[in-house]
Amino acid sequence: EADIYQTPRYLVIGTGKKITLECSQTMGHDKMYWYQQDPGMELHLIHYSYGVNSTEKGDLSSESTVSRIRTEHFPLTLESARPSHTSQYLCASSALVTGATLQETQYFGPGTRLLVL
Amino acid sequence: ELKVEQNPLFLSMQEGKNYTIYCNYSTTSDRLYWYRQDPGKSLESLFVLLSNGAVKQEGRLMASLDTKARLSTLHITAAVHDLSATYFCAVYSGGGADGLTFGKGTHLIIQP
């Protein structure tokens, strides 16, 4: 059972507002990720982090920024929200799981559905 | 650039039938994942496939991987309504951008 939390779960906000989407995990995972998913579509990686003070941009260009000051916390910020930012944002974390073979599984949070008016 | 293609994208089937979802990917990778997503929910990990010929089964779902053909399959046996969901395959990108590259998903509806 993975413990990864996102807040808020739903957010409706006006254009131009600054927003921060929170993501935290209690598993001590070093790697964390943000994905963007439009309704009925695939997920696109927008940011990832290997650990504290590490942040990288993903495959999909995004106007959002992230920070990683603590291992358990990986917030995503939009300085000025626009309607084009309307989407679902999913946070994930991963760690190596040692079994018969080494595995790395990404665990996903419940997501934040963002609507920018 | 890694591309992941799933087919079919939409599938409506009757309970009790068998069907297979296909996932092709364009470049070599050492990890392939299958996830399930219910409407309005997050993703649930189903299978991690790591090596050529890997086969994993959980209940009525069975996943396999052919790394030479760059193909994975998710087979559904004797479908039941509770398996209605969207199923995503995802391939580990590696390289400069860590993380997973997802297919567009297969929207599966199983009718009684």
Side-chain angles (χ1 to χ4, degrees):
Chain A
E1 184 79 17
D3 295 321
I4 182 163
Y5 308 98
Q6 290 186 243
T7 58
R9 294 291 310 279
Y10 304 91
L11 180 61
V12 181
I13 202 162
T15 296
K17 299 292 187 182
K18 178 180 178 179
I19 59 171
T20 296
L21 308 184
E22 303 287 348
C23 175
S24 61
Q25 48 96 4
T26 57
M27 299 169 284
H29 289 173
D30 286 324
K31 291 186 179 181
M32 295 189 74
Y33 312 82
W34 277 102
Y35 291 88
Q36 184 175 342
Q37 183 186 28
D38 291 329
M41 301 297 288
E42 70 267 46
L43 284 73
H44 292 284
L45 180 68
I46 52 175
H47 297 284
Y48 61 101
S49 167
Y50 290 117
V52 171
N53 293 326
S54 157
T55 61
E56 304 286 344
K57 290 191 178 294
D59 302 320
L60 182 68
S61 176
S62 173
E63 294 169 342
S64 59
T65 59
V66 292
S67 62
R68 190 87 183 276
I69 298 172
R70 302 198 312 267
T71 297
E72 63 271 20
H73 197 212
F74 191 39
L76 180 146
T77 298
L78 276 165
E79 290 292 334
S80 179
R82 294 208 300 269
S84 61
H85 296 139
T86 294
S87 189
Q88 175 167 242
Y89 294 85
L90 290 160
C91 180
S93 69
S94 71
L96 287 169
V97 178
T98 303
T101 56
L102 290 176
Q103 299 182 31
E104 181 170 342
T105 300
Q106 288 194 16
Y107 299 96
F108 283 82
T112 294
R113 289 181 177 272
L114 173 64
L115 173 61
V116 183
L117 302 175
Chain B
E1 180 189 350
L2 174 61
K3 293 189 185 299
V4 180
E5 292 187 359
Q6 283 182 242
N7 69 83
L9 297 182
F10 297 93
L11 177 59
S12 178
M13 56 191 292
Q14 289 184 316
E15 281 191 327
K17 300 291 186 182
N18 303 333
Y19 210 83
T20 301
I21 300 170
Y22 297 89
C23 174
N24 288 93
Y25 54 100
S26 61
T27 62
T28 302
S29 174
D30 60 0
R31 269 174 266 169
L32 188 139
Y33 300 77
W34 283 98
Y35 286 91
R36 167 181 173 149
Q37 186 177 38
D38 291 304
K41 304 288 188 181
S42 189
L43 276 74
E44 173 191 354
S45 177
L46 295 174
F47 300 109
V48 182
L49 301 170
L50 300 174
S51 60
N52 189 42
V55 177
K56 290 193 174 180
Q57 183 163 5
E58 181 74 31
R60 298 174 188 275
L61 300 177
M62 183 174 71
S64 66
L65 178 63
D66 181 344
T67 57
K68 293 179 181 177
R70 296 179 189 155
L71 170 68
S72 179
T73 60
L74 180 66
H75 187 73
I76 303 160
T77 302
V80 293
H81 178 68
D82 287 350
L83 291 178
S84 297
T86 299
Y87 292 86
F88 290 96
C89 69
V91 179
Y92 176 62
S93 315
D98 202 0
L100 298 176
T101 299
F102 281 78
K104 292 185 183 296
T106 295
H107 303 272
L108 175 62
I109 298 172
I110 299 170
Q111 300 182 11

